[in-house]
Structures are given as C-alpha cells and as structure tokens.
C-alpha cells in the first residue's frame, strides 16, 4: 500500500505461496461457500500439502519452527481471500499451542507431527453457555477414576467442532478451588462419551464450522492431562496471549480486501460526470481507511516481533493488537460498503461478506471489552504510585 | 520401490511468444517459460502414486537452459529428482525428433515402472509425443487418462473418450498421458520453496544420449513448420439498416450465400 514493511526473502516466498493458493483454491469459491454456509475441505488440504500447518510447530516434530510474525503473515493473507478459511486454519493453531507450550515430550511426539502435516486439525474448547467472558464460570468437570479421567459438561461455540481430531478442553478437576481447580486435557475425536452438537448458523465466517461439544461420561486416559492438575487456566490464558495476534492479523487481511475492492469501485463508478472518488466525502473516507489499516498493521507487526524477541509478559501488547486491529476492520468494512453504495449491499459482491466476517473478530478470542480490561490492568501494573 | 518418470515441458507464457523468422520455430531461449498446464495434472497423478505406494518420482524436461526455473518449481511440488535434457543439437526438433530424444533419455533412466506425460502442450498442441515415444520404446501407450489406480501391484487407467469412460488394466512399464484437467492438483511445498536456490537439475546432453545428428534437431525433423503465429481475434461486422421487411429479405439472402440456410 502506501508503506511497504521490510520483509525477508522467506516471508515473500511464503506470501507468494499463500496468494497462489488463495487465487486457485479459495477466490473462485468463497462467495459460494458463504452463501451456502458450506465447509469445503479442499483449501485445507491444499494448505496442508503446502506445509502451512507446520508454520509454528518446532522443526524436530516436522514443522518449520517459525514464530508469531510468520503465523500472522500467513493468517493475514489467507484472510484476504476468505476469513472463513483463515478461521479454520488459525483456530487449529489455537488448539496446537497448549501442546507446543505445555505438552510433555510424549504428547508432543504423539500429536505434533500429524498436526504439522495438516493431517489432524485442532480445536480449543473453553467457552460454555454460562461462561463466555467470565471464563472462570466454567462447569465442565473432569473426575479422576484410576488411570482415567471422566469428563462431563458442554462446551459452546467451538470453532472446528466435528472437523478437528484433537480438542483441548479446559475442565474442573477440583471445583472447590475455583480458577485454580481447572485442568487442560487433550480429547480425541472418537473418545467414548464425546459427541459434537449441531453446526451453528452464523452471521459471517460461514465457511468455518462452529459447534457445541458434549461430554457425557467421556472417558480419557490420564496421559491426556496437559502439564499438571490446576494449571488449566494458566494453559488457556497463555495460549490466548499467543493467539490474539492471529485475530488481529485476520482483521488486517479482511480490511485490505475491503479497501481494495471499494477503492477500485470508487475510481470507476461515474456519477455527476466523474468518478465518485473525486468527491472529497469519498476520497477522504479512503484516506481515513488507509491510515487506520496502516496503523493497525504496524501495531500487529510490532507486537508479533516483540513476542518473537522473547518477551515474557505480553498479555497487554497482544490485547492491544487484537482489539485495535479488529475494531479498525469493522470501521473499514462498514465504510467500504457505504463507499460502494448499492453494490456494497448486494450479496453478489464481496464487500458485504467482509463486513459480516469482520464482526466476529470483535467478539471471539476475548471480546474487545475484555481486551480493554486486560490492557487497563497491564497499564496499571506499569505505573507504580 | 518403483520408479515413475514424468516428462514435462516449459512452454512460453501466453502473450510472450516470439517466433524465429527464418525457421518459423518458437524462440524458446528468450521466452519466459511456464510449466505446461496439462503437465501439472500428470505430476499430480504421479505424486498421488508416490503418496500411496512410495514410488520414486523423477521429472525430466527437454528444453534450453531457461527451462531450469520450471524444473525447480516442479521440484517444489514434491518430486524426488529433476533432469534437464538439453543440447544445441536438439533445437528445432519436431515431435518425432523430440520423441527420439526423450525415448533415449528414458532408456538411460530405466528401469522404470511408468512414464507419465501431459496429453498435449499448449504451444504445439499435437499430443503426439506420448504415443510416439511409446512406439519407439516398444511400450504400451495409454492416452487421455483421467485417473490412475495402483491396486494389488497392478496399474489401472480410467480413460475418457468421446463415448464415455473405460477402465484399462495394463502391464508396466508403459507410457500414459493424462487429461489436461483433473479433479485436484496440489500446491507447491513451502519447505521445498525455501530451499529452491540449492536445487539444480542433473543435465543430459547429446554427449550422454549419443544420438545421430540426422535423427535430432531441425535436420532430424520430417515435418517442417511453415508458419507459427499467435491467434488474434478481429471483430468484424456489418450493420444493415432499413424497414423490417427489407432487413428480413436481406438477412435471408446473406445467410443463404454463406451456407447457413438451404
């Protein structure tokens, strides 16, 4: 756009590959998938064969060993083509992070190679009907029974429900201890007592699958516990810290696509004998879009690089990246519809899809209200009085 | 472990065609080459067999040195080895001379279980090389295959012709040509793309192939290209004006003259 961020050769190679995949496997179908609310496994297969599911998996398990920045570049460019597909992709990393960050050697050896090859998708299950922003209000239990744990409860609105093979489930091993009584478990598709609910009908991200997960005396071997009992929320919150930038990156891709489509339109749509871009109400709106997108991108990229440089405490930083970028994407996509007038409203054109897709980003992976709580909390720690 | 050889071709990117005014052949060395699109299907078929039954897949291409980037991209798709068959003496070869060269290269790479090629190239569009090469090597030739199965150690081709579909079981080795479009082709691998600079093809020249000059290049080509041109379409039309009756009569007359009406 108006600023070019310096990228290494390997980043350019990766982005070119994603653009090639986007053009061949996603662009011709994204509006149709949105219209039919259909999940198509073909682009996921292509991403798997292109080694893209191994981006952040350590090399010794078959991955590329890249960091948050590379993950965000990939998610950004996939989102440019379809945020539904990028949600399936990014949510799989959300499910893989607990194993990468906290898994035992045996767990890493058992799961990470097939995750890196894209053979198995992951899902991350924290939310319940009575526990959204108030994550600590979860009620799903995991009772120790000899060499097993027995899970009972419901997880709500889980991305990749039914299509994932590996599910990270946060459940209470000791309900009396409240937040310190939760543990993280690996549940596999096919485990007895684990079923998936119906596919939800969504406003946007319709190419991605969202379902409930139902645990009815679900019996899993004790080896499926991640780290130790009581560490469930630590695993969940640390995972979310890393994955937040991914949601910010999705926002960048959607906003970029919306800006390009609406700008092209404004330059060719003639009203009152001139392209509408000539009217300041229109061109100033695009100037505003460009500033907001560029600043969102600069924030997301610098937070990624901060995380990759080895920062220990980055909850506030990643919350800023997620909150700011997703809010900007919502503003930009709404204005993009307006700049296209009637064409923005018609479902034959993609801009309305960008708007509907962008909305979810302000809600999931921690609502932007919760993100502001996190930023305020971290900010308060920073100044001592 | 069995071996499959895939023959691919670098073709000029549409829109960048340059023709040598004297020989009427394509100036391949100066063109920007891309992978012949039907060959992408051939590669996919071979790579699926590699995934399924662990075949070694070798990609070979006859062309000038600017074919090397095309072969590198083919390596990124997942083949085990790449070969360039290149020599000044090969330039100007028609399909028969080309088939002689490829047949010799294949015999140097034997034993192999299967040779896979795209059904035709988008520049020559003859579709002759696969059956000609098979004939020269005395191997079965199966053309326009849309799917290749490997079941209990045997190859089965699903062929599509004008009347429908047929299933053909055939002995190996054989030469199979694949329909230009199949259900799905895989993207390149990021791991391989990142290390592409270190990948160079093995090169086979006429020193290794040892073919007679009379059998290769322009001198070895029984067909001579008279004229090569890029197709352009010029919009032509005539506007008739007048009363409906007049126009109807005029139109019928014109259609009869042009043979559209009896």
């Amino acid at each position: 756009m108006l600023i070019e961020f310096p990228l290494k050769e390997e980043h350019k190679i990766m982005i070119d590959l994603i653009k090639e995949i986007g053009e061949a496997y996603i662009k011709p179908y994204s509006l149709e998938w949105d219209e039919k609310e259909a999940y198509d496994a073909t682009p996921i297969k292509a991403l798997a064969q292109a080694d893209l599911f191994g981006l952040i998996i350590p090399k010794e398990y078959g991955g590329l060993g890249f960091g948050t920045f590379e993950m965000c570049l990939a998610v950004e460019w996939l989102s440019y083509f379809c945020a539904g597909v990028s949600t399936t992709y990014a949510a799989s990393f959300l499910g893989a992070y607990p194993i990468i960050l906290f898994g035992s050697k045996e767990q890493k050896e058992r799961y990470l190679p097939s995750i890196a090859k894209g053979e198995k998708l992951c899902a991350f299950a924290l939310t319940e009907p009575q526990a959204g922003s108030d994550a600590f209000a979860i009620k799903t239990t995991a009772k120790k029974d000899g060499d097993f744990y027995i899970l009972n409860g419901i997880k709500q609105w889980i991305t990749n429900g039914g299509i994932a093979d590996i599910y990270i489930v946060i459940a209470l091993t000791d309900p009396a201890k409240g937040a310190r009584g939760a543990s993280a478990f690996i549940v596999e598709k096919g485990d007895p007592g684990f079923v998936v609910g119906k596919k939800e009908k969504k406003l946007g991200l319709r190419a991605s699958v969202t379902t409930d997960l139902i645990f009815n005396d679900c019996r899993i071997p004790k080896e499926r516990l991640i780290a130790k009992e009581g560490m469930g929320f630590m695993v969940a919150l640390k995972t979310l810290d890393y994955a937040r930038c991914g949601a910010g990156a999705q926002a960048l891709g959607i906003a970029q696509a919306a800006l390009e489509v609406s700008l092209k339109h404004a330059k060719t749509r003639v009203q009152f004998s001139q392209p509408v871009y000539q009217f300041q109400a229109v061109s100033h709106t695009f100037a505003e879009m460009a500033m907001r997108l560029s600043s969102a991108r600069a924030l997301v990229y610098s937070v990624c690089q901060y995380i990759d440089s080895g920062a220990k405490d980055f909850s506030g930083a990643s919350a800023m990246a997620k909150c700011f970028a997703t809010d900007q994407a919502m503003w930009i996509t709404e204005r993009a519809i307006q700049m296209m007038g009637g064409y923005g409203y018609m479902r034959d054109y993609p801009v309305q899809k960008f708007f509907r897709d962008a909305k979810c980003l302000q809600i999931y992976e921690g609502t932007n209200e919760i993100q502001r709580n996190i930023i305020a909390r971290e900010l308060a720690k920073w100044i001592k009085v | 472990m069995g071996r499959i050889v895939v023959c691919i071709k670098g073709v000029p990117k549409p829109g960048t065609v340059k023709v040598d005014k004297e020989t009427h052949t394509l100036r391949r060395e100066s063109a920007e080459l891309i992978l012949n699109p039907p060959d992408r299907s051939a590669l996919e078929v071979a790579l699926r067999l590699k995934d399924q039954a662990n075949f070694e897949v070798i990609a070979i291409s006859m062309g000038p040195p600017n074919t090397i980037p095309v072969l590198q991209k083919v390596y990124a798709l997942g083949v085990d080895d790449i070969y360039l068959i290149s020599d000044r003496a090969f330039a100007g070869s028609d399909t028969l001379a080309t088939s002689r060269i490829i047949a010799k290269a294949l015999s140097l790479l034997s034993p192999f279980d299967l040779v896979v090629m795209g059904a035709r190239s988008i520049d020559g569009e003859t579709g002759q090389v696969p059956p000609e090469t098979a004939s020269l090597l005395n191997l079965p030739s199966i053309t326009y295959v849309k799917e290749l199965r490997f079941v209990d150690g045997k190859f089965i081709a699903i062929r599509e012709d004008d009347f429908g579909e047929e299933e053909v079981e055939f002995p190996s080795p054989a030469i199979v040509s694949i329909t230009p479009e199949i259900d799905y082709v895989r993207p390149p691998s990021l791991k391989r793309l990142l290390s592409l600079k270190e990948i160079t093809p093995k090169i086979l020249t006429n020193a290794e192939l040892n073919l007679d000059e009379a059998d290769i290049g322009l001198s070895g080509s029984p067909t001579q290209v008279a004229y090569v041109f890029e197709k352009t379409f010029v919009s032509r039309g005539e506007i008739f004006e007048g009363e409906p009756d007049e126009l109807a009569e005029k139109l019928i007359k014109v259609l009869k003259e042009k043979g559209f009406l009896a």
Side-chain angles (χ1 to χ4, degrees):
Chain A
M1 233 174 52
L2 299 179
I3 318 173
E4 294 295 330
F5 286 91
L7 292 173
K8 291 189 202 155
E9 187 64 30
E10 59 192 22
H11 297 147
K12 291 182 194 160
I13 291 174
M14 182 183 75
I15 291 173
D16 282 344
L17 175 59
I18 292 178
K19 285 183 184 174
E20 191 184 316
I21 291 175
E23 292 287 338
Y25 303 91
I26 302 176
K27 191 166 169 188
Y29 314 102
S30 60
L31 275 184
E32 187 190 327
W33 293 331
D34 179 67
E35 201 63 30
K36 293 184 180 161
E37 192 147 26
Y39 166 71
D40 190 334
T42 314
I44 302 302
K45 178 178 173 184
L47 290 169
Q49 287 177 314
D51 301 326
L52 285 163
F53 277 100
L55 226 52
I56 53 155
I57 310 289
K59 281 190 181 159
E60 61 262 41
Y61 301 106
L64 283 150
F66 283 151
T68 315
F69 183 54
E70 288 77 16
M71 188 263 288
C72 283
L73 283 177
V75 170
E76 177 184 356
W77 280 102
L78 266 179
S79 305
Y80 174 84
F81 290 97
C82 178
V85 174
S86 72
T87 295
T88 305
Y89 176 73
S92 196
F93 284 137
L94 185 56
Y97 266 119
I99 303 176
I100 298 170
L101 298 170
F102 296 95
S104 66
K105 186 158 179 288
E106 290 73 33
Q107 287 168 337
K108 288 180 186 179
E109 277 169 8
R110 184 180 153 90
Y111 295 105
L112 292 183
S114 48
I115 294 174
K117 283 191 217 150
E119 283 166 6
K120 297 198 171 177
L121 286 177
C122 304
F124 178 75
L126 175 60
T127 300
E128 294 179 17
Q130 77 297 332
S133 292
D134 186 7
F136 292 171
I138 59 168
K139 284 200 220 155
T140 300
T141 52
K143 208 164 161 191
K144 189 93 188 283
D145 181 32
D147 286 336
F148 295 88
Y149 283 95
I150 308 202
L151 272 63
N152 272 290
I154 302 179
K155 291 295 182 187
Q156 187 186 53
W157 299 333
I158 306 304
T159 302
N160 294 349
I163 58 171
D165 285 288
I166 298 166
Y167 299 78
I168 307 299
V169 180
I170 313 297
L172 295 172
T173 32
D174 194 342
K177 284 198 186 147
R180 288 213 190 84
S183 308
F185 293 93
I186 302 170
V187 177
E188 292 181 38
K189 192 187 223 181
D191 280 339
F194 167 41
V195 295
V196 152
K198 74 168 184 17
K199 187 173 130 174
E200 302 288 354
K201 300 190 304 254
K202 305 197 295 287
L203 174 65
L205 304 181
R206 288 159 64 97
S208 121
V209 180
T210 309
T211 72
D212 286 352
L213 307 181
I214 300 145
F215 303 97
N216 208 345
D217 287 338
C218 169
R219 199 179 190 78
I220 56 174
K222 65 179 195 302
E223 289 74 26
R224 304 281 198 81
L225 171 67
I226 295 180
K228 290 201 199 80
E229 281 192 22
M231 280 187 61
F233 277 112
M234 159 107 117
V235 170
L237 296 175
K238 207 72 184 128
T239 294
L240 288 167
D241 275 351
Y242 275 94
R244 261 182 222 125
C245 285
Q250 285 189 294
L252 301 179
I254 297 173
Q256 179 77 29
L259 173 53
E260 283 182 20
V261 171
S262 53
L263 181 52
K264 277 195 190 118
H265 178 89
K267 288 182 74 178
T268 51
R269 169 71 172 174
V270 171
Q271 289 286 272
F272 309 108
S273 313
Q274 55 196 301
V276 298
Y277 192 75
Q278 305 284 48
F279 301 117
Q280 276 186 345
V282 175
S283 58
H284 280 200
T285 304
F286 282 105
E288 185 70 36
M289 282 191 206
M291 287 191 282
R292 286 166 178 253
L293 176 51
S294 301
S295 49
R297 185 172 277 130
L299 180 56
V300 173
Y301 284 11
S302 67
V303 170
C304 284
Q305 285 167 345
Y306 178 58
I307 296 174
D308 289 341
S309 72
K312 290 219 174 73
D313 228 326
F314 50 85
S315 310
S318 64
M320 287 199 291
K322 193 267 187 188
C323 188
F324 187 74
T326 55
D327 280 349
Q328 293 320 315
M330 199 65 234
W331 190 93
I332 290 168
T333 52
E334 186 277 335
R335 289 288 87 195
I337 293 183
Q338 190 67 15
M339 292 301 101
M340 287 183 67
Y343 292 98
Y345 204 69
M346 299 303 154
R347 294 211 312 273
D348 283 340
Y349 297 87
V351 162
Q352 43 79 31
K353 173 182 180 284
F354 301 147
F355 171 78
R356 288 184 286 106
D357 287 344
K359 185 61 207 163
C360 195
L361 272 46
Q362 291 179 303
I363 297 170
Y364 75 5
E365 285 203 37
T367 62
N368 285 2
E369 286 73 25
I370 291 296
Q371 303 302 336
R372 285 178 171 85
N373 276 2
I374 296 171
I375 298 164
R377 178 194 76 206
E378 294 302 304
L379 209 49
K381 282 186 199 164
W382 183 63
I383 295 278
K384 310 265 183 261
V385 292
Chain B
M1 183 170 74
R3 170 181 285 190
I4 300 176
V5 184
V6 186
C7 299
I8 65 119
K9 188 181 181 187
V11 297
K13 190 169 176 187
T16 68
V17 166
K18 290 191 183 80
V19 181
D20 185 307
K21 291 202 173 76
E22 281 170 32
T23 63
H24 299 295
T25 55
L26 296 175
R27 294 254 292 276
R28 293 183 191 279
E29 326 86 71
S30 56
E32 187 196 333
L33 297 181
I34 58 165
L35 175 64
N36 178 39
D39 295 347
R40 188 80 183 265
S41 302
L43 283 161
E44 176 65 28
V45 166
L47 290 167
R48 285 185 199 179
L49 288 167
K50 177 179 168 172
D51 290 338
Q52 180 201 340
N54 215 21
F55 282 95
E56 179 196 19
V57 176
I58 298 180
I60 71 173
S61 188
M62 180 179 125
N66 63 342
T67 312
I68 292 177
V70 176
L71 276 167
Q72 286 177 317
K73 286 223 176 88
V74 167
Y75 180 79
L77 289 172
V79 304
D80 296 295
D81 225 335
I82 46 176
Y83 283 77
L84 177 69
I85 304 160
S86 191
D87 199 302
R88 286 234 146 265
F90 298 157
S93 297
D94 71 355
T95 58
L96 181 57
T98 299
S99 299
R100 288 184 187 123
I101 294 163
I102 294 193
K104 195 67 194 283
L106 287 172
S107 62
L108 293 180
L109 289 169
S110 61
F112 49 80
D113 296 83
L114 195 64
V115 177
V116 189
M117 307 195 196
R120 55 176 180 261
S121 64
I122 62 167
D123 57 356
E125 299 241 26
T126 65
Q128 291 168 3
V129 169
E132 275 182 332
T133 311
S135 179
L136 289 168
L137 289 171
N138 230 356
L139 293 178
S141 158
I142 302 109
T143 56
Y144 286 92
V145 173
K146 68 175 201 180
E147 190 191 326
L148 209 51
R149 295 181 195 154
F150 187 63
V151 181
D152 296 328
K154 291 203 198 105
F155 288 110
I156 299 173
I158 311 298
R159 290 191 71 230
E160 205 167 65
D161 62 25
D162 290 335
F163 307 101
E165 231 176 67
E166 63 174 351
E167 220 176 84
V168 181
E169 190 183 302
F170 59 91
S172 69
I175 300 197
V176 175
S177 80
I178 307 294
T179 51
E181 279 179 36
I182 57 172
D183 56 337
Y184 169 88
V185 291
R186 69 193 58 194
S189 134
L190 180 57
K191 282 184 188 168
R192 286 180 176 229
L193 284 173
L194 290 172
S195 60
L196 221 53
K197 285 203 188 109
E198 298 142 37
I199 307 297
T200 45
K202 298 188 174 68
I203 308 207
L204 295 175
T205 66
N206 204 27
E208 286 83 29
L209 265 51
N210 207 14
L211 288 161
D212 211 311
E213 296 256 321
D215 289 333
I216 58 178
L218 271 179
S219 43
S221 301
T223 57
Q224 298 288 331
V225 175
Y227 188 40
V228 176
F229 60 97
E230 197 173 350
K231 232 165 40 172
T232 51
F233 291 95
V234 175
S235 182
R236 271 192 291 236
E238 228 187 296
I239 298 180
F240 301 144
E241 283 179 14
E243 293 302 309
D245 295 352
E246 286 172 28
L247 287 176
E249 273 192 43
K250 179 125 197 219
L251 191 57
I252 291 173
K253 184 160 169 260
V254 169
L255 287 172
K256 277 186 178 160
E257 277 170 14
K258 291 195 183 283
F260 291 106
L261 283 179

